Amino acid sequence: MKWPKVFLLFYFLFVRILSFADEGMWLPMLLAKLNEKEMRAMGMKISAEDIYSINKSSLKDAIVSFGGFCTGEVISSQGLVLTNHHCGFGAIQSHATLQNNYIDNGFWAMSLKDELPNPSLFVTFIVRMEDVTASVLSGVTSAMPENERQSQIDKNINAVRANSKRETYQDVLVRPFFEGNQYYLFVTETYRDVRLVGAPPSSIGNFGKDTDNWMWPRHTGDFAMFRIYADKNNRPSAYSPDNVPYKPKRTLSISLDGVSQDDFTMVFGFPGRTNQYLPAVAVEQLIEVNNPAKIKVRDHVLEVMDAYMRTDEQIKIQYAAKWASVSNAWKKWQGELLGLNRVDGVGRKKKLEADFQNKVNANAALKAKYGTVLPDLNNAFDELKVYGLARDYYLEIISRIELFTIASQLIQLEAAFDKEGESGYAARLPQVKDRLTGFYGDYSPIVDMKMTEVLLSLYVNDQQEKFQSALLRDKLKANQGDFALLAKVLFAETDLDDQQKTLSLLDKPTKEVVDIIRQNATVLLFKDMQRVYQNEVQRTLSPIQDRINALQRTYMAAQMEVFTEKRFYPDANSTLRLTYGKVDGYTPRDAVRYDYYSYLDGVMEKYKPGDYEFDLPTKLIDLYKKKDYGQYGVNGKLPVNFIAANHTSGGNSGSPALDAWGNLVGLNFDRVWEGTMSDINYDPSICRNIMVDIRYILFIVDKYAGAGHLVKEMNLVRPKTKK
Ligand code: ARG
Ligand code: GLU
């Protein structure tokens, strides 16, 4: 009887405090070695081998990278895939018209033949992974200059890929981990016929929109469903009407029992990019320089879009996805600043660095190897500062002036012609035509002209003159320094804003097209801006960045050698990771405690009829009034969202939240505002991921949309209430 207490004490003292149980995005193949014991102590009922195995089907066989930017999971034996509404949004939007507004009204295929194909969408399974560090780093020495090192590595990677065993329909990729101290190989299978099956209306799938984005308490049904199609042999195939639903190696079972306080949960997916091992100086720069600059440019971008989207329905549809992606990072960066300041991210790093330096200095061998790595990093980041700012400014600005997006497509054609002549041009042309056709569907010259005016004024007014295009400054002078006038002139002297003219230009003979591209005013201006950026920013920045990368690699290796008691996990790099933690609320600020569950009652509390963020469909309100929740409610309430201490990042959207038995209980879609700094500095007290309760999803599919046939495909279980 004494045991549990002693154990708990041990757990809190050693596991929870010393090794930060909730922090970490772990490699699936190393779970047995690094994590399984702790996971079981936290409540896991399955084994590491059940999660990742190369000998039998395991949970990983149900997880896909969705389009390369999100995660999805297979939830039926007929290849049904669950992901977020915001992950499927590009696909949903591409099928939406003013008449069939799937964004506003949702979409449900009532049979297989109604499912909608999406030409550029794909999902990728991980067949297996393997540590190939020794082969990739063979012949690499610490004395090698960076470029020599890289070409040796590239050569080794090619050899590793060529020698690896795989089927013809599989791919092999090799990725660096721990800043290039380790390398892993992945054998993958990519399916390219992925069809839209269903999506709720945006008023459910994106309820609360930007006001609630990155926030808790949350009440969003952020999900959509797709189906993978394969050829008759269940192999990957391009879209074909003859393809059939994919038969998966593994599907996730779905638990209707939900989770409670301190329940063990896992999130399995593809986090994109984190920076957990930066030095203090880099975090300081991000707080003082880079985040504020990027936020400022986006303040303006959003203001321009908003003005037009509010008054024009067509523009609202066209710019919905652009708006969402610009505002998403914009808001996250602000939360990151808040969180880093609150937990004194810089101070923490400085403490860690002092500790590191002391340990290194106390040991002659370590001192010889790593004695100067931190001062060297400090110097390199100091040098980077002004160029890093110029880079962020330039990239934020030019990527939002869409005339330049069009120009860059044409410049690619010109480059193909210059490099490989007529045949290079011909090879490139179909892709450029495709891209431009897709692009113009969501393009409004009126919005773009205003954007050009506003962003070019930032480009000129906020930057040192040496970072600016002289051609642009001349044009500005010729227009009395008036940016509105300048924008008008830039649009008058080009045809690129005109879909018809630009696309029919591409039907002309090659030589003629290339000549016209070379003389186009937008192309000339864009090239001049690129040239100045290349000469004045990139040329200096890139060697500094190379130095930083090499130093980060050394610093990473050094930390692993110096802090031997610590368990390290690699930064996210869009590869498959497992993270785990317990269901728990948190204290965002003094005297406030957040609960870990939200309910449909809370959706109704936020409801604002006619509002663009908080309106609701009548049918949902009716179901609420009748409390018609079927098997998805608990004690007269319908669970909607919940939070837990899983260490997730962008790319984990659409990842399954799994219970102790590996059943699907939720769908990851966000993090809480106070904790978005977890990409840089995870803090177990305030970092939480946000998930949609699977019962809310099934309720919407079944009761709201009347698509119960989809629920019938799934395997529903009750691990807690029925055995
Ligand atoms: N913040 C979440 C993520 O990073 C959700 C974004 C989609 N939702 C939105 N309201 N824009 O991607
Ligand atoms: N919404 C994010 C995504 O698109 C996931 C949330 C996060 O960044 O943690 O991947």
Side-chain angles (χ1 to χ4, degrees):
M1 281 285 105
K2 274 267 159 68
W3 247 109
K5 246 194 190 152
V6 172
F7 176 77
L8 270 184
L9 189 72
F10 171 84
Y11 174 75
F12 276 100
L13 273 181
F14 296 97
V15 181
R16 209 142 167 125
I17 296 171
L18 281 186
S19 66
F20 302 110
D22 309 315
E23 176 171 355
M25 305 169 163
W26 305 96
L27 291 173
M29 69 174 267
L30 298 181
L31 290 173
K33 186 168 136 203
L34 295 177
N35 311 92
E36 185 170 14
K37 213 168 167 184
E38 179 186 74
M39 293 166 86
R40 288 205 190 255
M42 289 171 74
M44 184 173 73
K45 304 277 188 255
I46 56 176
S47 68
E49 179 85 359
D50 294 327
I51 297 171
Y52 175 90
S53 171
I54 48 171
N55 303 313
K56 58 170 197 177
S57 100
S58 55
L59 292 174
K60 75 121 173 57
D61 296 319
I63 316 298
V64 290
S65 161
F66 185 86
F69 52 87
C70 275
T71 305
E73 52 277 359
V74 182
I75 54 169
S76 93
S77 56
Q78 298 186 60
L80 196 59
V81 167
L82 181 64
T83 188
N84 288 142
H85 185 266
H86 76 265
C87 298
F89 192 68
I92 300 166
Q93 183 194 23
S94 75
H95 298 291
T97 60
L98 283 173
Q99 291 73 39
N100 282 320
N101 195 334
Y102 300 143
I103 300 177
D104 283 358
N105 308 324
F107 166 80
W108 295 95
M110 288 301 162
S111 69
L112 290 181
K113 67 171 191 334
D114 300 329
E115 299 179 353
L116 302 171
N118 305 285
S120 53
L121 192 57
F122 59 87
V123 297
T124 301
F125 290 92
I126 304 300
V127 179
R128 64 183 167 86
M129 59 184 293
E130 200 180 304
D131 184 348
V132 290
T133 308
S135 319
V136 171
L137 293 183
S138 106
V140 171
T141 66
S142 55
M144 275 180 166
E146 275 307 289
N147 53 354
E148 212 174 294
R149 177 190 156 95
Q150 195 53 51
S151 58
Q152 178 68 34
I153 287 177
D154 290 343
K155 216 173 73 196
N156 290 344
I157 286 181
N158 285 338
V160 166
R161 294 185 60 211
N163 294 333
S164 72
K165 255 183 51 198
R166 64 171 175 115
E167 307 293 336
T168 50
Y169 55 89
Q170 297 177 329
D171 298 305
V172 178
L173 48 113
V174 174
R175 286 279 172 76
F177 288 73
F178 291 115
E179 322 283 345
N181 285 293
Q182 296 180 15
Y183 285 79
Y184 284 84
L185 167 148
F186 298 83
V187 175
T188 63
E189 278 174 22
T190 295
Y191 286 79
R192 297 180 185 279
D193 186 351
V194 180
R195 303 186 196 170
L196 177 62
V197 174
S202 276
S203 52
I204 292 173
N206 193 9
F207 181 72
K209 301 237 169 37
D210 298 295
T211 299
D212 269 13
N213 190 21
W214 298 111
M215 301 288 228
W216 183 256
R218 190 65 156 279
H219 298 88
T220 309
D222 193 346
F223 80 96
M225 287 180 183
F226 289 79
R227 193 186 303 281
I228 307 170
Y229 281 75
D231 70 13
K232 298 218 161 62
N233 301 315
N234 209 32
R235 299 271 163 80
S237 152
Y239 168 79
S240 156
D242 300 331
N243 284 348
V244 293
Y246 166 71
K247 296 260 167 302
K249 279 188 225 142
R250 177 66 178 251
T251 68
L252 297 181
S253 295
I254 295 174
S255 164
L256 291 179
D257 280 346
V259 288
S260 8
Q261 176 71 41
D262 286 333
D263 272 4
F264 176 79
T265 56
M266 313 179 261
V267 173
F268 207 0
F270 294 84
R273 182 92 202 99
T274 59
N275 291 290
Q276 313 284 351
Y277 303 101
L278 288 176
V281 59
V283 179
E284 211 159 32
Q285 225 164 76
L286 183 134
I287 294 175
E288 279 162 17
V289 180
N290 308 86
N291 273 17
K294 294 190 290 186
I295 291 166
K296 179 176 175 189
V297 176
R298 290 192 180 204
D299 284 338
H300 291 272
V301 171
L302 291 169
E303 201 180 317
V304 171
M305 282 193 206
D306 183 63
Y308 290 96
M309 288 171 75
R310 275 182 194 279
T311 53
D312 187 317
E313 274 302 309
Q314 178 72 26
I315 292 177
K316 195 173 142 193
I317 295 183
Q318 288 177 318
Y319 280 72
K322 293 175 200 172
W323 168 279
S325 93
V326 173
S327 83
N328 193 42
W330 167 80
K331 193 166 178 186
K332 185 203 153 188
W333 292 327
Q334 297 175 53
E336 212 164 65
L337 291 181
L338 188 106
L340 285 171
N341 286 326
R342 153 118 19 107
V343 303
D344 188 19
V346 175
R348 279 185 184 181
K349 292 270 182 193
K350 284 194 170 147
K351 238 192 238 143
L352 176 100
E353 286 168 18
D355 188 20
F356 170 85
Q357 198 66 49
N358 284 338
K359 291 196 159 109
V360 167
N361 291 348
N363 174 316
L366 287 178
K367 192 169 177 193
K369 265 201 295 188
Y370 303 128
T372 65
V373 68
L374 275 176
D376 290 349
L377 266 171
N378 277 307
N379 291 337
F381 272 103
D382 283 343
E383 282 174 49
L384 180 80
K385 193 164 172 171
V386 66
Y387 299 98
L389 173 64
R391 171 201 57 206
D392 288 352
Y393 238 73
Y394 175 78
L395 292 178
E396 282 292 321
I397 287 171
I398 57 122
S399 59
R400 293 298 153 196
I401 295 177
E402 295 176 278
L403 268 190
F404 294 155
T405 313
I406 308 166
S408 76
Q409 288 297 315
L410 299 183
I411 290 171
Q412 286 179 26
L413 266 183
E414 181 197 356
F417 179 78
D418 287 343
K419 209 169 147 213
E420 296 162 85
E422 189 80 47
S423 68
Y425 176 95
R428 195 79 206 202
L429 187 62
Q431 195 191 37
V432 169
K433 270 188 177 164
D434 263 14
R435 291 233 177 110
L436 286 177
T437 308
F439 167 87
Y440 281 116
D442 292 331
Y443 178 65
S444 158
I446 306 168
V447 177
D448 198 27
M449 197 194 299
K450 186 71 190 174
M451 197 71 84
T452 304
E453 171 194 330
V454 169
L455 294 187
L456 288 184
S457 92
L458 289 179
Y459 176 91
V460 171
N461 292 328
D462 280 12
Q463 296 204 94
Q464 298 181 41
E465 195 173 327
K466 70 168 178 182
F467 293 143
Q468 298 175 25
S469 146
L471 179 57
L472 179 71
R473 292 184 65 92
D474 288 347
K475 284 180 186 259
L476 181 64
K477 215 184 272 159
N479 290 286
Q480 295 90 51
D482 180 336
F483 285 96
L485 204 58
L486 172 70
K488 234 191 217 137
V489 169
L490 295 182
F491 274 70
E493 64 187 14
T494 192
D495 281 338
L496 300 195
D497 57 329
D498 186 320
Q499 162 165 16
Q500 237 248 296
K501 284 188 183 151
T502 305
L503 290 177
S504 56
L505 163 70
L506 298 180
D507 293 332
K508 295 192 164 140
T510 307
K511 195 77 194 54
E512 207 175 312
V513 182
V514 173
D515 281 342
I516 291 175
I517 293 176
R518 290 199 214 282
Q519 288 157 27
N520 178 276
T522 310
V523 169
L524 291 173
L525 175 62
F526 184 43
K527 280 185 179 168
D528 198 58
M529 292 172 74
Q530 282 183 313
R531 187 183 53 76
V532 174
Y533 176 71
Q534 189 53 44
N535 291 342
E536 301 300 328
V537 182
Q538 207 37 43
R539 184 174 298 178
T540 316
L541 181 134
S542 131
I544 305 175
Q545 191 62 56
D546 287 349
R547 238 167 70 212
I548 289 178
N549 295 347
L551 287 165
Q552 283 280 165
R553 188 173 67 236
T554 306
Y555 182 40
M556 185 77 241
Q559 290 181 69
M560 294 170 100
E561 218 172 304
V562 169
F563 298 119
T564 42
E565 75 288 359
K566 239 167 126 172
R567 204 173 36 158
F568 287 90
Y569 61 92
D571 265 318
N573 59 357
S574 295
T575 58
L576 185 61
R577 302 296 176 88
L578 187 93
T579 156
Y580 53 93
K582 291 190 167 194
V583 173
D584 196 8
Y586 70 107
T587 298
R589 54 188 175 277
D590 187 36
V592 179
R593 180 74 192 168
Y594 281 148
D595 213 343
Y596 58 87
Y597 247 118
S598 69
Y599 294 91
L600 192 58
D601 309 68
V603 177
M604 293 303 301
E605 283 170 7
K606 285 180 177 172
Y607 170 48
K608 274 193 224 149
D611 185 74
Y612 114 101
E613 298 186 299
F614 292 98
D615 202 1
L616 284 170
T618 323
K619 179 146 187 212
L620 185 66
I621 300 169
D622 290 344
L623 288 164
Y624 170 74
K625 286 190 182 143
K626 285 190 251 156
K627 302 274 176 286
D628 184 4
Y629 305 148
Q631 61 180 333
Y632 312 114
V634 238
N635 304 328
K637 284 166 67 123
L638 184 66
V640 172
N641 291 165
F642 66 100
I643 52 174
N646 291 298
H647 188 181
T648 55
S649 188
N652 269 127
S653 273
S655 298
L658 305 166
D659 67 7
W661 296 269
N663 301 310
L664 185 67
V665 282
L667 181 62
N668 186 72
F669 74 103
D670 213 356
R671 273 175 287 168
V672 304
W673 180 243
E674 297 79 6
T676 58
M677 83 307 190
S678 65
D679 290 347
I680 295 153
N681 198 333
Y682 185 89
D683 184 316
S685 71
I686 50 173
C687 290
R688 297 288 179 274
N689 67 313
I690 310 181
M691 295 150 281
V692 199
D693 192 293
I694 194 67
R695 293 168 295 187
Y696 188 50
I697 294 173
L698 298 184
F699 162 82
I700 296 293
V701 172
D702 189 350
K703 294 273 175 179
Y704 174 85
H709 62 284
L710 295 173
V711 179
K712 288 211 182 81
E713 286 184 35
M714 305 170 195
N715 181 33
L716 306 183
V717 297
R718 288 199 171 268
K720 286 178 158 185
T721 51
K722 283 180 209 140
K723 284 286 147 187

